[in-house]
Amino acid sequence: MPREGGRRELIDPATEEAFAQISAAGPAELDRAVAGAQQAFESGWRDLAAGKRAEILFAISKKLRDHADEIAAIESRNIGKPITDAKDEAALGARVFEYYAGAISKFFGETIPVASGGFSFTLHQPMGVVAAIVPWNFPFPIACWKSAPALAAGNCVVLKPASLSPLTALRLGELAHKAGLPAGVLQVVPGAGGTIGDALVQHPLVRKISFTGSTEIGAHIMRLAAGGIKRVSLELGGKSPNIVFADADVDKAATTSPMSVFANTGQDCCARSRVFVERSVFDRFVEKFVAATRALTVGGPDDPNTQLGPLVSTQQREKVEGFLTTAKSREIIGGDRPAGRGAYLRPAIVLGCETSDAVWREEIFGPVVCIRPFDDETTMLREVNDSPYGLSGSIWTNDLKRALRVARSVESGVLSINSHSSVHVEAPFGGFKQSGLGRDLGMNALEGYTETKSIYISEE
Ligand code: NAP
């Protein structure tokens, strides 16, 4: 149990009351954790046959499934996530371990004939100690989708959860070791980003940093990592577009779009917070979007019918409300606080904004959407790409050629056509531009946790 970093209270955002205390690690405890991970790496994990590692990852997956309800209840209490979503995310974490348990035996190298005769072949080798630093909006699934591929590839992991949401990461560490993961292979170190986060990134034994969080901290980590030429992958912020053409199933687009931005109370890097609607269907779209938004259930996270819980904290709510204040000359539908305690905020729809407005340009990380009409594809695409971010997005059209043309033109790492789905365990996930570097999930993630070694064999 760490204690050097002091104790802090965790506040339930639904009640604004403290419900747990957490001991944070300090520099010496962090150093011991990294040294322990390095020792576990050298003393066996890296050399364990891939099939043996896979067996352990399958066992972790099963353990997580067996404890899914408990994990979901912890997450829901900790960050106010609706229990139904928290259950889905607990199941997603288990599936990620299962996927990489199966994937590692299919992660092949190459055999390359070389011009001078003979051939080279490639090996994917683990890097060593990987630092995984994760945010508070999807604490459990993101902890899993960093740990599972890193471990499958033979690395050891030091996982630093966000200060607001350490509980499910700690439970993941316990359950993984109960499932048979050798001591030291996965270390979970709660503590403050500015102190132990920085120390972790700069630790000489850490070879790779896999970070999910804000673009600002991602850039800071990149700078810290530069001195040691450490490998870095970054999953950062977003301001994703949702593009609706007049030939689409407009009713379906309009009624499903609210949850593409308001799910997780808008605290989602993939939130489709900039909606572009072709002018001829704009009024119809807005009418249905507003009605569907009003029908969403805002309520207590423990109610299975709740779709939108509180924000993660009252401070986060104030930050979101600050953005709404900057937009008060625009038409805003909703965005008010329900009566009673808790960091609740009803979803806000902003109409009539300009592309220079802060609400349109900046990542708000709360339940706020802007909807604007467009007249022609070229101008719309210029506005779509006029953003430092490029993470996700949706395109609604029944014209296949247009769908493919627009999908190629949008500067985003992840897109969906006639859907709002962003995350698939089997497919790469990550951003263009300031939304990130490298990819999580799919087979691509394994590349990010390995070095490729080329070995030449002479046939002379
Ligand atoms: P954040 O403030 O950047 O924090 C993310 C993590 O970094 C936390 O564990 C934090 O620890 C740690 N950290 C903070 N300062 C650090 C430092 N100097 N050195 C090392 N680590 C440090 O982000 P957040 O507010 O938790 O999460 C929201 C952001 O994450 C949004 O921008 C969102 O778009 C992004 N996000 C991106 C994705 C994606 O896949 N692209 C997914 C989810 C979220 P503390 O909590 O202790 O400060």
Side-chain angles (χ1 to χ4, degrees):
M1 175 66 76
R3 54 179 74 95
E4 264 186 5
R7 288 170 82 79
R8 70 189 296 267
E9 286 187 326
L10 296 179
I11 309 294
D12 178 342
T15 61
E16 299 179 47
E17 282 167 13
F19 74 99
Q21 286 208 333
I22 186 89
S23 302
E29 285 158 331
L30 174 76
D31 191 50
R32 281 201 292 282
V34 177
Q38 177 69 22
Q39 196 190 354
F41 178 69
E42 288 173 12
S43 65
W45 185 249
R46 72 174 169 199
D47 299 318
L48 203 62
K52 290 278 178 214
R53 286 202 300 271
E55 274 174 28
I56 295 173
L57 264 65
F58 276 125
I60 296 173
S61 172
K62 176 165 186 325
K63 190 67 98 185
L64 297 180
R65 268 189 227 290
D66 293 346
H67 290 263
D69 285 351
E70 175 207 330
I71 292 165
I74 297 172
E75 194 90 300
S76 178
R77 184 86 192 270
N78 192 170
I79 54 167
K81 192 178 286 281
I83 189 68
T84 307
D85 295 347
K87 285 184 181 179
D88 288 348
E89 290 173 24
L92 172 62
R95 275 208 299 123
V96 170
F97 272 92
E98 191 176 63
Y99 175 82
Y100 286 107
I104 195 61
S105 57
K106 291 139 200 111
F107 183 47
F108 307 128
E110 291 176 305
T111 307
I112 307 156
V114 299
S116 54
F119 64 94
S120 287
F121 67 93
T122 58
L123 292 179
H124 296 300
Q125 293 199 298
M127 293 169 163
V129 178
V130 169
I133 302 179
V134 298
W136 49 258
N137 61 337
F138 293 101
F140 184 71
I142 294 179
C144 291
W145 78 47
K146 294 198 181 300
S147 306
L151 295 172
N155 303 283
C156 291
V157 175
V158 177
L159 169 63
K160 195 207 90 61
S163 293
L164 285 175
S165 60
L167 298 181
T168 50
L170 288 164
R171 196 70 184 118
L172 169 65
E174 286 167 358
L175 292 171
H177 286 104
K178 278 190 183 155
L181 195 68
V185 171
L186 172 62
Q187 311 252 5
V188 184
V189 185
T195 52
I196 68 145
D198 272 9
L200 179 58
V201 171
Q202 295 177 93
H203 197 290
L205 291 175
V206 168
R207 291 282 175 84
K208 154 97 195 208
I209 300 105
S210 179
F211 171 80
T212 296
S214 60
T215 296
E216 182 194 350
I217 301 294
H220 169 73
I221 285 176
M222 215 171 161
R223 283 192 290 271
L224 289 184
I229 318 289
K230 295 188 182 194
R231 279 58 176 149
V232 176
S233 56
L234 305 169
E235 298 291 351
L236 308 175
K239 190 75 185 175
S240 295
N242 180 8
I243 304 164
V244 183
F245 287 96
D247 70 4
D249 182 340
V250 174
D251 291 354
K252 187 174 175 198
T255 52
T256 57
S257 288
M259 280 304 271
S260 79
V261 55
F262 300 137
N264 215 37
T265 320
Q267 303 161 118
D268 183 344
C269 52
C270 292
R272 273 75 166 160
S273 50
R274 291 183 301 151
V275 187
F276 299 77
V277 185
E278 198 162 3
R279 195 176 296 275
S280 61
V281 293
F282 183 78
D283 290 346
R284 184 168 129 219
F285 179 91
V286 169
E287 186 191 327
K288 302 232 173 228
F289 187 104
V290 170
T293 300
R294 289 203 168 118
L296 295 176
T297 310
V298 179
D302 52 355
D303 182 339
N305 296 316
T306 290
Q307 291 168 287
L308 270 63
L311 287 143
V312 73
S313 64
T314 50
Q315 292 88 333
Q316 184 68 13
R317 178 173 60 182
E318 277 162 27
K319 196 178 142 213
V320 175
E321 288 172 331
F323 276 102
L324 291 176
T325 305
T326 68
K328 62 179 188 292
S329 63
R330 311 298 181 200
E331 183 185 353
I332 302 178
I333 302 165
D336 54 317
R337 293 183 184 189
R341 286 174 76 79
Y344 292 94
L345 188 67
R346 288 203 182 88
I349 301 163
V350 184
L351 301 173
C353 66
E354 295 296 329
T355 55
S356 53
D357 289 1
V359 276
W360 178 264
R361 300 201 69 79
E362 293 182 34
E363 183 182 49
I364 296 175
F365 232 55
V368 179
V369 71
C370 300
I371 313 180
R372 275 171 56 84
F374 71 87
D375 294 300
D376 72 280
E377 192 180 301
T378 309
T379 312
M380 177 272 292
L381 280 171
R382 200 176 312 122
E383 288 180 2
V384 164
N385 290 332
D386 178 21
S387 168
Y389 298 115
L391 186 58
S392 185
S394 298
I395 300 163
W396 291 82
T397 175
N398 278 320
D399 178 337
L400 181 61
K401 278 192 182 162
R402 181 178 0 228
L404 294 176
R405 185 175 66 237
V406 172
R408 277 184 201 279
S409 304
V410 174
E411 295 171 345
S412 276
V414 183
L415 283 170
S416 47
I417 296 170
N418 297 328
S419 136
H420 293 302
S421 169
S422 297
V423 171
H424 303 274
V425 175
E426 306 78 8
F429 177 83
F432 281 23
K433 302 190 282 186
Q434 292 181 31
S435 286
L437 190 68
R439 294 292 178 267
D440 277 336
L441 299 175
M443 298 302 278
N444 292 65
L446 291 170
E447 283 167 24
Y449 292 112
T450 48
E451 296 283 7
T452 299
K453 184 178 279 177
S454 179
I455 301 175
Y456 172 68
I457 299 187
S458 166
E459 290 186 295
E460 283 176 15

